[in-house]
Amino acid sequence: IQENQPSLLIVSQHLEQGTGLSLVARAEQLNREIKTLLVCDDDDSTLVKEALARGCDGLCFRSERFIPALTVVARGGVYYPEPVPSVLKDSLKSIEPVDRLSEREREVLFHTMLGRANREISEKLIISEETVKSHTKSIMSKLQVGNRTQAVVKALAIGLVSVEDIGHAILG
């Protein structure tokens, strides 16, 4: 990872030596910009929570379609399949955001989920990059999370956005 500086790491949970999650954590330490996609066997709630805690940008179950997950994560987005939001609901401190998101904040969140950079979001929504940053900061505050990945995952868990939305945006 240090030598080749990959932009994307796709890893299985079960490795010959160690686990995929430990490799994700190590990769994140060595390269903060790396995007990570963990492929695992099933929707074990402990594994899902650990993947989020370790900073996985995406999680794909072997039974799921791989290409949508790969596409979203490779573009810089966050992908967690349908069973994940229900697993996360139980572990979230507060299910509902303190304040409702505005329509514009929801649009910014949706584009963030798709992996679009601030500049690309600003072009799509015809607003300045600074406004996108301001909306992102407000989203994270309202959802009581520390980063964009956590914001997207929490939004999935509470139903603000859905995995189907991602699929329609990618394929449609």
Side-chain angles (χ1 to χ4, degrees):
I1 293 174
Q2 270 181 313
E3 188 176 313
N4 295 319
Q5 294 291 310
S7 59
L8 176 65
L9 173 67
I10 303 169
V11 64
S12 172
Q13 172 56 7
H14 303 290
L15 303 176
E16 201 169 297
Q17 295 180 349
T19 66
L21 282 176
S22 60
L23 182 56
V24 165
R26 181 75 175 130
E28 293 276 341
Q29 287 174 347
L30 296 172
N31 178 358
R32 300 297 299 159
E33 300 300 312
I34 195 167
K35 299 298 174 195
T36 55
L37 176 61
L38 179 70
V39 180
C40 54
D41 294 326
D42 55 30
D43 62 346
D44 174 5
S45 62
T46 304
L47 178 65
V48 168
K49 292 173 193 172
E50 186 71 16
L52 183 57
R54 299 265 179 120
C56 281
D57 296 294
L59 183 75
C60 182
F61 303 128
R62 290 191 194 282
S63 61
E64 298 281 325
R65 292 179 33 216
F66 178 72
I67 297 301
L70 176 62
T71 303
V72 169
V73 173
R75 290 190 56 174
V78 177
Y79 185 92
Y80 279 74
E82 277 304 322
V84 172
S86 61
V87 168
L88 291 176
K89 251 184 197 178
D90 299 333
S91 68
L92 292 171
K93 291 178 193 162
S94 66
I95 298 302
E96 295 297 328
V98 174
D99 297 313
R100 292 201 179 279
L101 298 182
S102 70
E103 185 62 34
R104 183 62 85 182
E105 288 167 340
R106 291 171 77 101
E107 291 171 338
V108 169
L109 181 63
F110 175 75
H111 288 286
T112 301
M113 179 177 69
L114 295 176
R116 294 188 171 131
N118 288 344
R119 169 168 277 180
E120 192 176 357
I121 295 170
S122 73
E123 290 169 359
K124 293 271 185 194
L125 299 180
I126 313 171
I127 57 177
S128 74
E129 274 189 75
E130 288 305 313
T131 302
V132 172
K133 290 176 187 177
S134 176
H135 284 311
T136 300
K137 186 176 179 181
S138 177
I139 291 165
M140 292 185 331
S141 174
K142 288 179 179 181
L143 294 177
Q144 301 173 350
V145 296
N147 62 46
R148 292 165 64 122
T149 299
Q150 292 171 346
V152 170
V153 173
K154 188 166 184 180
L156 284 166
I158 63 177
L160 291 175
V161 291
S162 73
V163 174
E164 284 96 22
D165 294 339
I166 298 172
H168 293 306
I170 292 171
L171 303 173

